[in-house]
């Protein structure tokens, strides 16, 4: 199975300030079709996960443009340009390059 | 946009089975893989398996071999996940998801003697 790691595991951010989460995989997530199957989810407290970013850098419908994803191969990043109170929760990266899909351990983001 | 409505909380004894349903409303999921993901209390997300309704093709994580059954009923737009030989470590919230994009609200399964 592909192992996903995230750093940091927790993050406390002042509203209006940027935040960044790193996600690494132990194998390249680049598929032969040219796509890289790396996703970002946010699980707000008491809610189901919600898709933020698909295929590294594509924001899902309705996701604010303060969220951006970048990276390639085995190294990825999620950036929030200006954190808002509604952004608290646990952020997960996930790969679907290879079965089974696997998730990172999550990064808990709260507000200072 | 399709919404997924899951069945309610289940309390089960060790060794028994549980069947969770996931009904799509506002659309159909037949063209997409329905996956099941679980989350133990205070833990992360774990993919269990997926089913493609149109073909019936199923894939599942090795650890659930022999214990996990996934089915769909296209006439009612409902997917089902049955987990057998339950143990306390199976206590978790179970989510259905269409294409890992749209997620149900989750179903708590508590396994306790």
């Amino acid at each position: 199975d592909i192992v996903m790691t995230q750093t940091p595991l927790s993050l406390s951010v002042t509203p209006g300030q940027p935040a960044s989460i790193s996600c690494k995989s132990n194998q390249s997530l680049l598929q032969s079709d040219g796509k890289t199957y790396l996703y970002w989810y946010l699980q707000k407290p008491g809610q189901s996960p919600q898709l933020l970013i698909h295929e590294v850098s594509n924001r899902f419908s309705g996701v604010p443009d303060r969220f951006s994803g970048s990276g390639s191969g085995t190294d990825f990043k999620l950036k929030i340009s200006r954190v808002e109170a509604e952004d608290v929760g646990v952020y997960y990266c996930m790969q679907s390059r290879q079965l089974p899909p696997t998730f990172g351990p999550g990064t808990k983001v709260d507000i200072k | 946009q399709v919404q997924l409505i899951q069945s309610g909380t289940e309390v089960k004894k060790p060794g028994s089975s549980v069947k969770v349903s996931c009904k799509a409303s506002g659309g159909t999921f037949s063209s997409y893989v329905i996956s099941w993901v679980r989350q133990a209390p205070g833990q992360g997300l774990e993919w269990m398996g997926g089913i493609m309704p149109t073909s019936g093709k199923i894939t599942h994580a090795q650890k659930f071999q022999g214990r996990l059954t996934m089915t769909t009923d296209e006439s009612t737009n409902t997917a089902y996940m049955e987990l057998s030989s339950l143990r306390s470590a199976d206590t978790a919230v179970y989510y259905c998801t269409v294409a890992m994009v749209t997620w149900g609200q989750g179903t708590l399964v508590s396994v306790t003697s």
Side-chain angles (χ1 to χ4, degrees):
Chain A
D1 296 1
I2 293 179
V3 177
M4 307 296 290
T5 56
Q6 291 180 231
T7 53
L9 296 183
S10 66
L11 197 51
S12 193
V13 188
T14 301
Q17 292 301 300
S20 180
I21 300 169
S22 172
C23 172
K24 294 181 191 285
S25 58
N26 68 347
Q27 297 178 39
S28 175
L29 302 185
L30 176 63
Q31 180 68 284
S32 55
D33 61 4
K35 295 181 180 179
T36 300
Y37 290 92
L38 186 281
Y39 302 79
W40 289 97
Y41 294 88
L42 165 59
Q43 187 174 31
K44 295 183 178 182
Q47 295 186 20
S48 306
Q50 57 188 81
L51 179 64
L52 295 176
I53 303 283
H54 61 96
E55 291 157 23
V56 180
S57 59
N58 300 288
R59 271 189 305 276
F60 185 59
S61 174
V63 174
D65 61 8
R66 63 179 181 275
F67 291 94
S68 64
S70 63
S72 63
T74 61
D75 228 309
F76 305 94
K77 204 167 291 270
L78 175 72
K79 293 181 182 176
I80 311 173
S81 59
R82 293 173 305 279
V83 172
E84 297 188 5
E86 66 182 26
D87 300 336
V88 300
V90 181
Y91 290 77
Y92 295 95
C93 59
M94 184 203 79
Q95 69 79 26
S96 64
R97 159 69 176 81
Q98 182 184 106
L99 286 174
T102 47
F103 294 87
T107 296
K108 185 173 183 179
V109 173
D110 62 28
I111 299 296
K112 277 184 185 174
Chain B
Q1 181 168 341
V2 66
Q3 288 188 314
L4 302 177
I5 307 299
Q6 297 184 224
S7 48
T9 297
E10 301 268 9
V11 180
K12 294 292 182 179
K13 294 216 181 295
S16 67
S17 298
V18 68
K19 191 170 186 176
V20 178
S21 67
C22 169
K23 182 173 176 57
S25 67
T28 177
F29 54 45
S30 59
S31 302
Y32 302 97
V33 174
I34 311 299
S35 293
W36 292 88
V37 175
R38 75 177 186 179
Q39 186 171 38
Q43 302 300 307
L45 302 167
E46 178 181 32
W47 181 85
M48 300 176 67
I51 179 169
M52 182 68 183
T54 49
S55 65
K57 182 178 178 184
I58 287 173
T59 55
H60 56 79
Q62 188 67 25
K63 71 181 286 186
F64 299 106
Q65 179 83 29
R67 290 209 297 144
L68 176 63
T69 303
M70 293 174 289
T71 56
T72 59
D73 181 345
E74 290 188 74
S75 68
T76 59
N77 272 328
T78 304
Y80 299 91
M81 184 282 298
E82 184 169 19
L83 190 62
S84 61
S85 302
L86 290 170
R87 36 223 189 215
S88 58
D90 293 318
T91 293
V93 175
Y94 289 76
Y95 295 99
C96 61
T97 168
V98 174
M100 304 298 282
V101 174
T102 302
W103 294 63
Q105 84 277 19
T107 296
L108 173 62
V109 175
S110 178
V111 183
T112 176
S113 53

